[in-house]
Amino acid sequence: MSSTCAEEVAVSPPSKKRKTDSETGEYCAKKNEVSPVQDKMDIRKHSNGSNNGTTVPVAIDEGLYSRQLYVLGHDAMRRMGTSNILVSGMRGLGLEIAKNLILGGVKSVTVHDSEVATLADLSSQYFLTEDSVGLNRADVCQTKLAELNNYVSVNSYTGKITEDFIKGFQVVVLTNSSMDEQLIISDLVRQYGIKLIIADTFGLFSQVFCDFGSSFVVNDTTGEQPATALICGVTKETEGVVSVIDEVRHGLETGDHVTFTEVQGMTELNGCEGMSVKVKGPYTFSIGDTSNFGDYVGGGKVVQVKMPQTVSFKPFRESLTDPEFVITDFAKFDRPGQLHIGFQALHEFVKRHSSLPKPRNRVDADNMVAIAKEINGKLTGSVKLESVDETLISKLAYNASGDICPMQSVVGGITAQEVMKACSGKFNPIMQWLYFDALECLPENSDTDLNEEVCKPVTSRYDGQIAVFGSEFQKKLEEMKLFVVGAGAIGCEHLKNFAMMGAGCSKEGHVTVTDMDIIEKSNLNRQFLFRPWDVQKLKSSAAFAAAKAMNPALHGKAHQNRVGPETENVYDDDFFEKLSCVVNALDNVDARMYMDRRCVYYRKSLLESGTLGTKGNVQVVLPSITESYSSSQDPPERSIPICTLKNFPNAIEHTLQWARDEFEGLFRQIPDNVNQYLTDPKFMDRITKMQGQQPIETLDSVKRALVDDRPGNFDDCIAWARVHFQNLFSDQISQLLFNFPPEQITSSGAPFWSGPKRCPHPLEFDPEIGLHLDYVVAAAMLKAESYCIQGKTDSAYVKQVLAKVNVPKFKPRDGVRIDVNDAEAQSNSSGPVDDCIIEKLTAALPTSQSLAGFRMNALDFEKDDDTNHHMDFIVATSNLRAENYSIAPADRLQSKLIAGKIIPAIATTTALVSGLVCLELYKIVAGHTNIELYKNGFINLALPFFGFSEPIEPVKQSYNGNEFSLWDRFELDGVKSGEEMTLKEFMDYFQKEHNLEITMLSQGVSMLYSFFMSPAKLKERLGMKMTEVVSKVSKIKIKPHVKALVFELCCNDADGEDVEVPYVKYVFRH
């Protein structure tokens, strides 16, 4: 083996090379070039406004839309791909809606606006610049919108919306429109069966209205995966009761519909049309009359059937006087009715005065309150209010001139999702009015602190925000120092919002963003700051550059660091102490918990958020006010029992996890073990200290890799793959059936192969069966890559080699023990190790000296590279295993979701969640200390559902009458007069100052002191300086950037009782 390959492996190069060229999106657009990534998409060039959506993709690009496909599915995506959308009004809200729809993949989006851009539009319209002022808004942003998705035709229109023009659209969205326009167009679209959505924002107030016609079919109301369960019984009676195996609840609700498969005896259930269920309990439900069916014998699976539902919408004109509301905040239950009148009053004010109410103008506010009372007085029925909330309507008037980007993100995400529902029939639509406000963002004394003078326009791009919060607030916002952790989908939205808000946009302000990932094609569907020509570039750098292009005043820096202990020399005391707030945009719990700990330590506010398909959440963490992110955790994911994976799978999830384990074991763990054996002199010592049978298993894998299965060329790799196929899918199954024949009966008299245990059958290899050949090719290519051998995927060649492979004939063996449950597996794996076997394996291994320069290539699983054979192996292995056990196979997309643990994602939810985060940031800037003003949020756009609650206060504890929470600590300066305190002085300090007797003291995982420590060791340590004790016990030198250490204490209080106390921040450097 050449040393070149070994050297390449040693440096652990990234799986993908990043771009280093300096081309920008603007340059590529001017040149009208199509990047290599675009060429691979197999499409015609996007429209520049001339064909009104005639460009249609030949198929859904799973590489681009994969995360969204997991949310919407192929059928919904295909229906969206035939839909032409009109978005009228290209201020911030209209732009946000159009952006989300283009990323989502509708057929075409036409953006309409007859007005020209003003400087104030830059408060939220991120595709306008100061050079755009005076130009038509739709024309200016059309080109930049078209860059978002080459599959979507993007057109601009600046004329009047006429009957002939509107006929070509399936959905019309109106923003920034008058009441007269809304009435005229709503009547028009009803005539032609066109769906209508009206959306508006005015400062911290917003409104969405939906009319999808008198008979709209919803194909899937929730988007959740259909519930499935294995059944163990069905009664034969007029109200037949189905019982499921009590390992997992059935997850059904009364009114759901189900069908059945694989039922033995009562075969009438198999493939039946959806039967309505009544839930009896978590493991039982009834399905109606089964008295005329056959007797249930055994087996079977129940599967939920999604039944279409038809909903009827009232026309806009009728719904104005007879509205239905979606509640967005149950703490404001009465507010939708008030705002319904308030928004009508606002439209009437504009009609009468030809302008919006001026910011904080008392006369205009009183005028609008009077109009609201006038409108309310003419109403009848439930829509009429007992009294108009004058304070609320006045605040609406004060906010009317406001234009703030976070509200556009929130409402733009909601509205775009409603458009997708209208196109696809996927998810429950809004019925029919939604009002949302965020008045809690205002300064607590806004009525006295804000006036017409401080909120007046100052000829600034932030005038829309100043109109709501005032000029002093804007200055504070610009001076914020933010740390954005992650530049993925949510991170991109955050950076866009911060740039528009002006956060960190002064010389005193700063925005630092870090992300160590590079941009991949699948990111382009929702991480909207990236373009096709950015693929393979660093996320953080590209995202920050794009945000700065939106607002050149953005001040900050992009890093490419992973947050963790290894980068605490970068994100050290000096860095954190300067921060105003940390904003997480992470995709894993471990990193979130790490950042949470750092924020607690440095007492910094943390804004946390996440998405899962149409679901999203926001959490606010405030020093001394709320609990931390880590204070409460989701329950752990349900794990698959080992024996289920090894011998008794009953679902495709089991076979996919087994396939993933195969990949990790064969192509990562074994090469890692081999390389450690060859390079680590202490390898054998570590192996012999392993638990149970691990020493034998590890040494055997190294021996097979270096001796038995080491290939000399690619033909050997093919032969190995063929033999491995035989072992996995034929021989092991034959041995299992030898131990437990199909007719096996348990000691209780029940069939062994029943319930969750599916009786398997061995497979006979046939190179003409595509799945069989797929496995051999993928396995051989990965084997070759592990040994740095050049492979080839030519099917004819592979078949030619296969014909020469000698496959050993298998004969089942007596005495082979197969574990039936995890208890047996644990017992057998923890038995004593046979030293003779270890000696024999060790003797059979070649010496590391004889293999000088040889290294294996350990493969990191990468799901999104379709050329690396990783998913080829997973899909083939899983589906062959599924065939063994008669489990329905999974396609490549579904296999990638499960095996790759992909988080489904869609741009609409991301935009909404980021908007909610930024609304909470306003409150932090305002200095709110009242916990009731902050909002933790959970949303589900599919239902739709919006739930907000105030954050939870931190748990309080006490010692010696002193109350404390997780935010409190002992702060101790360990250096006095240039001398650091000793361990004895440290302990005496707590005894004297806090009346606490330290019984144990630790730093990290190192125990520095304990009451049961030997006298000699105690005597030695008590006289040592604290940092010396830490270095001696941990055997690690304290790094130069560390100024303070964290100590954990166990103490007895004044009464000698064991008591919980805060941790200690011990400062030893200044």
Side-chain angles (χ1 to χ4, degrees):
M1 192 60 55
S2 69
S3 61
T4 304
C5 180
E7 290 169 358
E8 289 175 352
V9 174
V11 296
S12 301
S15 57
K16 299 181 178 66
K17 292 188 287 186
R18 66 180 179 91
K19 275 190 178 179
T20 56
D21 63 87
S22 59
E23 287 187 357
T24 66
E26 182 182 6
Y27 173 82
C28 292
K30 284 180 179 177
K31 291 292 187 180
N32 199 26
E33 294 173 344
V34 180
S35 74
V37 174
Q38 292 169 317
D39 289 337
K40 293 177 184 177
M41 292 180 179
D42 190 28
I43 62 167
R44 293 184 288 276
K45 190 170 60 179
H46 71 255
S47 164
N48 289 316
S50 60
N51 62 14
N52 196 25
T54 58
T55 302
V56 182
V58 294
I60 295 172
D61 186 341
E62 293 185 355
L64 176 66
Y65 292 118
S66 61
R67 275 44 171 189
Q68 182 174 294
L69 277 166
Y70 298 130
V71 182
L72 298 177
H74 280 83
D75 289 343
M77 284 286 295
R78 289 190 188 97
R79 286 190 284 269
M80 284 170 51
T82 62
S83 299
N84 302 306
I85 315 300
L86 172 65
V87 181
S88 178
M90 275 297 106
R91 298 189 71 197
L93 177 57
L95 175 69
E96 185 68 25
I97 295 167
K99 177 262 285 183
N100 291 330
L101 292 174
I102 293 165
L103 291 174
V106 295
K107 179 181 179 181
S108 77
V109 172
T110 297
V111 293
H112 165 257
D113 204 315
S114 58
E115 298 180 12
V116 297
T118 66
L119 185 62
D121 288 333
L122 273 63
S123 291
S124 64
Q125 224 286 17
Y126 41 85
F127 282 165
L128 296 179
T129 66
E130 292 186 11
D131 293 338
S132 307
V133 174
L135 303 176
N136 180 273
R137 289 189 290 238
D139 283 344
V140 171
C141 64
Q142 181 272 331
T143 303
K144 292 183 179 179
L145 283 169
E147 292 176 352
L148 292 171
N149 190 339
N150 290 284
Y151 288 125
V152 179
S153 174
V154 180
N155 312 278
S156 63
Y157 178 70
T158 61
K160 185 177 180 181
I161 297 178
T162 63
E163 183 173 350
D164 287 339
F165 175 73
I166 213 168
K167 287 179 184 177
F169 300 99
Q170 281 69 51
V171 184
V172 171
V173 183
L174 299 180
T175 71
N176 196 33
S177 57
S178 69
M179 177 63 74
D180 288 342
E181 290 171 331
Q182 293 171 9
L183 288 167
I184 293 169
I185 293 175
S186 65
D187 292 340
L188 193 58
V189 296
R190 265 277 170 163
Q191 294 178 32
Y192 296 103
I194 300 169
K195 284 84 173 175
L196 173 69
I197 300 174
I198 298 172
D200 270 312
T201 64
F202 297 97
L204 294 168
F205 292 88
S206 63
Q207 169 198 67
V208 179
F209 167 80
C210 293
D211 174 14
F212 297 170
S214 58
S215 182
F216 180 74
V217 177
V218 181
N219 298 300
D220 182 352
T221 58
T222 67
E224 299 294 335
Q225 288 294 315
T228 63
L230 298 173
I231 65 175
C232 58
V234 185
T235 63
K236 188 176 178 180
E237 53 185 324
T238 54
E239 192 66 30
V241 176
V242 179
S243 300
V244 303
I245 293 173
D246 61 3
E247 288 184 351
V248 182
R249 296 166 179 251
H250 53 64
L252 298 169
E253 297 179 1
T254 297
D256 286 344
H257 290 73
V258 297
T259 188
F260 297 84
T261 60
E262 303 178 14
V263 176
Q264 300 169 26
M266 197 177 284
T267 55
E268 295 87 348
L269 293 177
N270 292 328
C272 65
E273 293 188 7
M275 304 177 76
S276 182
V277 309
K278 292 181 182 177
V279 173
K280 301 290 186 181
Y283 306 104
T284 56
F285 57 89
S286 63
I287 55 173
D289 192 357
T290 58
S291 58
N292 294 322
F293 293 173
D295 293 332
Y296 175 79
V297 173
K301 189 181 200 179
V302 60
V303 181
Q304 182 185 6
V305 178
K306 297 293 183 81
M307 303 296 287
Q309 296 183 10
T310 302
V311 294
S312 179
F313 290 79
K314 299 169 189 170
F316 176 72
R317 195 179 293 271
E318 177 185 342
S319 189
L320 274 173
T321 56
D322 187 16
E324 296 178 61
F325 299 121
V326 170
I327 304 298
T328 56
D329 190 339
F330 288 93
K332 305 174 181 178
F333 194 81
D334 297 330
R335 194 160 291 182
Q338 293 284 345
L339 293 179
H340 191 64
I341 303 297
F343 269 70
Q344 293 178 61
L346 181 54
H347 281 293
E348 183 61 26
F349 181 99
V350 173
K351 186 176 182 179
R352 294 180 186 182
H353 299 277
S354 300
S355 68
L356 290 164
K358 292 183 284 296
R360 292 284 158 178
N361 184 281
R362 185 70 255 177
V363 174
D364 285 356
D366 290 343
N367 196 339
M368 205 172 100
V369 169
I371 295 174
K373 290 180 177 179
E374 179 185 327
I375 292 172
N376 188 54
K378 296 177 182 178
L379 296 173
T380 59
S382 60
V383 71
K384 184 171 183 176
L385 303 172
E386 289 186 12
S387 62
V388 170
D389 186 336
E390 296 184 19
T391 301
L392 182 65
I393 303 303
S394 294
K395 288 182 178 179
L396 175 57
Y398 293 156
N399 273 254
S401 298
D403 179 12
I404 59 178
C405 199
M407 283 298 288
Q408 318 299 20
S409 289
V410 171
V411 180
I414 294 171
T415 306
Q417 190 67 61
E418 293 307 302
V419 176
M420 294 180 185
K421 294 175 186 179
C423 298
S424 66
K426 183 90 170 184
F427 310 139
N428 254 342
I430 289 173
M431 296 293 293
Q432 286 185 256
W433 294 90
L434 177 147
Y435 290 95
F436 172 76
D437 74 81
L439 289 178
E440 299 83 5
C441 297
L442 292 171
E444 290 191 61
N445 299 318
S446 60
D447 290 338
T448 55
D449 293 348
L450 297 181
N451 53 52
E452 193 169 357
E453 178 64 23
V454 301
C455 294
K456 69 180 182 182
V458 294
T459 317
S460 159
R461 66 176 295 145
Y462 308 119
D463 277 353
Q465 193 163 252
I466 291 171
V468 177
F469 296 106
S471 53
E472 283 302 311
F473 182 94
Q474 182 62 41
K475 183 180 179 182
K476 289 181 183 178
L477 191 55
E478 292 176 37
E479 293 174 352
M480 291 290 283
K481 297 174 181 64
L482 304 175
F483 185 26
V484 182
V485 189
I490 294 179
C492 283
E493 292 287 340
H494 285 343
L495 290 173
K496 172 260 292 183
N497 286 330
F498 295 158
M500 293 296 97
M501 295 159 65
C505 290
S506 71
K507 292 181 179 179
E508 293 77 19
H510 198 277
V511 175
T512 302
V513 58
T514 188
D515 195 310
M516 43 87 68
D517 284 345
I518 58 174
I519 300 164
E520 299 176 355
K521 180 182 175 182
S522 63
N523 300 147
L524 303 180
N525 172 237
R526 64 203 181 282
Q527 299 175 18
F528 92 104
L529 294 183
F530 307 140
R531 301 293 179 268
W533 48 82
D534 292 322
V535 170
Q536 299 302 300
K537 292 181 181 178
L538 291 162
K539 282 186 176 182
S540 59
S541 299
F544 188 84
K548 190 171 180 64
M550 293 173 175
N551 184 354
L554 181 64
H555 184 217
K557 191 173 183 181
H559 293 180
Q560 292 79 44
N561 301 318
R562 185 196 303 273
V563 290
E566 67 273 19
T567 55
E568 287 180 4
N569 62 321
V570 178
Y571 308 118
D572 56 10
D573 294 357
D574 291 340
F575 176 84
F576 267 96
E577 285 165 3
K578 294 174 183 176
L579 291 178
S580 309
C581 180
V582 175
V583 186
N584 274 353
L586 292 160
D587 61 359
N588 69 88
V589 172
D590 289 343
R592 285 183 169 111
M593 294 181 71
Y594 172 79
M595 286 308 301
D596 180 62
R597 291 194 298 271
R598 299 295 278 173
C599 288
V600 170
Y601 178 75
Y602 289 107
R603 293 171 175 162
K604 297 297 177 181
S605 298
L606 170 66
L607 294 173
E608 173 59 62
S609 60
T611 68
L612 178 66
T614 58
K615 303 183 184 97
N617 70 280
V618 174
Q619 182 179 353
V620 189
V621 177
L622 303 167
S624 303
I625 297 175
T626 74
E627 68 176 10
S628 72
Y629 171 80
S630 305
S631 297
S632 58
Q633 297 180 33
D634 294 332
E637 292 184 16
R638 184 182 175 88
S639 60
I640 304 171
I642 295 173
C643 287
T644 299
L645 284 177
K646 289 184 67 174
N647 300 313
F648 308 113
N650 57 62
I652 196 67
E653 290 81 4
H654 302 161
T655 66
L656 280 164
Q657 183 59 56
W658 183 80
R660 180 68 191 273
D661 292 345
E662 272 287 299
F663 179 96
E664 295 294 331
L666 291 170
F667 307 119
R668 178 169 179 78
Q669 192 58 54
I670 289 177
D672 273 344
N673 289 339
V674 167
N675 292 339
Q676 289 176 33
Y677 168 73
L678 295 174
T679 60
D680 185 357
K682 297 182 179 179
F683 176 77
M684 294 303 299
D685 292 338
R686 290 192 294 102
I687 289 297
T688 54
K689 294 176 182 177
M690 287 182 172
Q691 298 289 322
Q693 302 299 310
Q694 288 184 69
I696 293 176
E697 294 170 357
T698 302
L699 288 174
D700 182 60
S701 70
V702 173
K703 174 180 172 291
R704 283 187 283 108
L706 292 177
V707 181
D708 307 336
D709 297 335
R710 183 180 176 184
N713 52 45
F714 186 61
D715 288 5
D716 291 345
C717 296
I718 296 173
W720 170 85
R722 170 65 183 91
V723 172
H724 205 63
F725 177 103
Q726 189 72 21
N727 178 46
L728 293 182
F729 308 114
S730 181
D731 297 353
Q732 289 185 15
I733 301 298
S734 297
Q735 183 67 55
L736 182 62
L737 292 173
F738 178 78
N739 282 40
F740 307 107
E743 64 278 3
Q744 177 94 4
I745 302 296
T746 66
S747 57
S748 63
F752 178 85
W753 295 105
S754 62
K757 291 187 176 70
R758 302 173 69 90
C759 187
H761 63 276
L763 303 182
E764 184 175 341
F765 181 78
D766 183 349
E768 300 305 320
I769 296 176
L771 190 60
H772 294 199
L773 191 63
D774 288 347
Y775 175 85
V776 169
V777 171
M781 289 296 291
L782 295 176
K783 182 78 168 178
E785 186 178 356
S786 296
Y787 287 87
C788 299
I789 294 172
Q790 183 66 42
K792 57 179 74 174
T793 57
D794 179 52
S795 298
Y797 178 80
V798 173
K799 289 179 182 178
Q800 182 182 342
V801 175
L802 284 172
K804 304 174 185 176
V805 176
N806 179 30
V807 180
K809 189 174 180 62
F810 176 75
K811 183 178 180 181
R813 293 171 293 155
D814 291 319
V816 175
R817 188 179 184 91
I818 296 178
D819 303 318
V820 176
N821 53 54
D822 281 7
E824 288 186 10
Q826 180 67 27
S827 175
N828 293 331
S829 66
S830 59
V833 177
D834 190 331
D835 292 336
C836 293
I837 297 178
I838 290 182
E839 290 175 6
K840 186 176 179 181
L841 287 170
T842 303
L845 289 173
T847 64
S848 57
Q849 292 81 1
S850 67
L851 292 171
F854 171 76
R855 300 290 183 273
M856 286 189 69
N857 187 9
L859 308 183
D860 291 317
F861 178 69
E862 173 49 61
K863 59 190 176 294
D864 287 319
D865 183 352
D866 289 334
T867 66
N868 63 10
H869 305 287
H870 294 193
M871 279 309 302
D872 297 339
F873 178 83
I874 296 293
V875 173
T877 304
S878 172
N879 285 340
L880 287 167
R881 179 77 162 177
E883 187 179 346
N884 277 139
Y885 287 86
S886 302
I887 297 169
D891 63 20
R892 188 182 187 89
L893 190 70
Q894 185 70 5
S895 298
K896 185 186 289 189
L897 170 70
I898 299 170
K901 301 184 187 303
I902 289 175
I903 300 173
I906 190 168
T908 50
T909 314
T910 304
L912 167 56
V913 163
S914 177
L916 293 175
V917 166
C918 293
L919 291 176
E920 298 306 308
L921 180 61
Y922 283 138
K923 301 171 188 178
I924 292 173
V925 176
H928 290 342
T929 56
N930 182 356
I931 195 171
E932 295 179 358
L933 295 175
Y934 290 92
K935 299 282 187 180
N936 285 348
F938 173 79
I939 57 97
N940 187 341
L941 287 175
L943 300 179
F945 172 81
F946 303 86
F948 295 97
S949 62
E950 67 183 58
I952 299 173
E953 293 183 358
V955 173
K956 299 291 178 60
Q957 297 175 285
S958 65
Y959 68 93
N960 291 340
N962 299 300
E963 192 175 67
F964 71 95
S965 74
L966 64 96
W967 295 100
D968 297 305
R969 64 189 176 216
F970 298 110
E971 298 205 16
L972 179 57
D973 190 338
V975 179
K976 300 293 183 183
S977 302
E979 286 294 320
E980 185 188 352
M981 66 169 51
T982 64
L983 175 58
K984 183 179 187 308
E985 290 170 337
F986 181 91
M987 296 177 65
D988 289 345
Y989 168 84
F990 279 92
Q991 184 71 66
K992 179 181 178 181
E993 298 296 329
H994 300 286
N995 205 9
L996 292 171
E997 178 193 1
I998 297 176
T999 56
M1000 284 190 284
L1001 170 66
S1002 62
Q1003 194 271 327
V1005 296
S1006 302
M1007 181 66 70
L1008 308 182
Y1009 165 80
S1010 65
F1011 65 91
F1012 49 80
M1013 187 177 286
S1014 67
K1017 187 178 290 186
L1018 177 60
K1019 182 179 179 180
E1020 176 191 12
R1021 292 187 184 176
L1022 283 175
M1024 295 173 66
K1025 296 175 182 178
M1026 291 297 293
T1027 53
E1028 292 175 349
V1029 177
V1030 170
S1031 297
K1032 179 179 177 62
V1033 177
S1034 67
K1035 296 181 173 60
I1036 299 174
K1037 187 178 180 180
I1038 299 173
K1039 296 178 180 178
H1041 69 273
V1042 177
K1043 297 180 179 179
L1045 297 171
V1046 171
F1047 294 128
E1048 300 285 346
L1049 308 178
C1050 289
C1051 296
N1052 290 336
D1053 62 13
D1055 299 324
E1057 297 293 328
D1058 186 41
V1059 64
E1060 291 283 338
V1061 296
Y1063 69 92
V1064 181
K1065 180 183 179 182
Y1066 176 81
V1067 179
F1068 63 96
R1069 286 184 183 138
H1070 297 281

